[in-house]
Amino acid sequence: MTDIQSKYQFASIENNFGLTIFAPEIRIMLEYCCNSSGAETGGILIGRYSQEHNMAIVTRISGPPKDSKSGSFFFVRGIKGLQSMLNRLWRRNEYYIGEWHFHPYAAPIPSSTDHKQMIEFSRDKNMKCPEPILLIIGGDPKVDWFMKVIVYPKCQDALDLIVTS
């Protein structure tokens, strides 16, 4: 995925879960990746849902909050400032829809920690997101990068979303 298209769309095989993300948001994530000095980085996905409620549409990307911790093989997203931002965006009908992070020079494959955290988020009523999405960027953000998208429906197995356009 070295070229940035105008948008990427991902969907589950049954087409009951999906994600649309546009080039500006991808560029923002890649910029965070390039500026991470070879460490993992990440943030949250913010957006809306389609009228049918089967497609999450990313409208904003956050970077790592200031209290995040990262290294070559780990990223722990902090929380500083996120709740006030989410409260403000909620009034504009923009919502927390999931997480994103970067695996520098590695495959975009979620770790067991990633899986555990996303399952917890799907079950946490305070998150108000029973189907959080995890987007992982892997590879070299300047040359050759890849995305993997997974949805974690509450009380169901995680589902890989495949590129549809």
Side-chain angles (χ1 to χ4, degrees):
M1 292 187 174
T2 54
D3 294 328
I4 298 180
Q5 303 172 9
S6 61
K7 71 178 177 181
Y8 288 93
Q9 288 190 301
F10 300 82
S12 61
I13 292 171
E14 299 83 16
N15 216 26
N16 54 345
F17 296 102
L19 177 78
T20 298
I21 186 165
F22 295 90
E25 286 71 34
I26 294 170
R27 282 190 198 99
I28 290 167
M29 288 188 297
L30 291 173
E31 188 173 315
Y32 281 118
C33 296
C34 288
N35 293 332
S36 71
S37 301
E40 290 196 14
T41 190
I44 64 172
L45 303 172
I46 302 160
R48 298 185 169 102
Y49 295 95
S50 66
Q51 200 167 16
E52 300 82 17
H53 207 65
N54 66 345
M55 179 70 66
I57 302 156
V58 177
T59 57
R60 297 174 195 263
I61 298 291
S62 91
K66 292 181 184 196
D67 57 337
S68 298
K69 295 179 178 15
S70 65
S72 299
F73 301 104
F74 73 95
F75 176 71
V76 178
R77 181 190 44 78
I79 59 170
K80 190 170 188 166
L82 284 183
Q83 192 60 57
S84 61
M85 176 184 67
L86 288 169
N87 291 344
R88 191 175 63 252
L89 293 172
W90 185 275
R91 291 188 288 275
R92 297 180 188 170
N93 297 319
E94 292 182 90
Y95 313 101
Y96 168 89
I97 59 174
E99 305 280 323
W100 77 272
H101 71 264
F102 172 51
H103 290 176
Y105 312 104
I109 306 222
S111 68
S112 60
T113 302
D114 294 333
H115 280 303
K116 260 194 244 179
Q117 180 182 46
M118 296 306 291
I119 290 167
E120 286 175 18
F121 286 172
S122 74
R123 295 176 180 166
D124 184 344
K125 290 180 184 171
N126 294 323
M127 297 292 288
K128 298 179 183 173
C129 187
E131 297 154 348
I133 293 168
L134 175 60
L135 184 154
I136 302 175
I137 295 175
D140 183 341
K142 293 179 183 172
V143 181
D144 197 19
W145 51 274
F146 307 92
M147 283 191 290
K148 181 166 184 73
V149 178
I150 304 134
V151 64
Y152 290 82
K154 184 178 178 180
C155 301
Q156 294 180 32
D157 290 336
L159 298 170
D160 287 343
L161 302 184
I162 55 173
V163 176
T164 60
S165 69

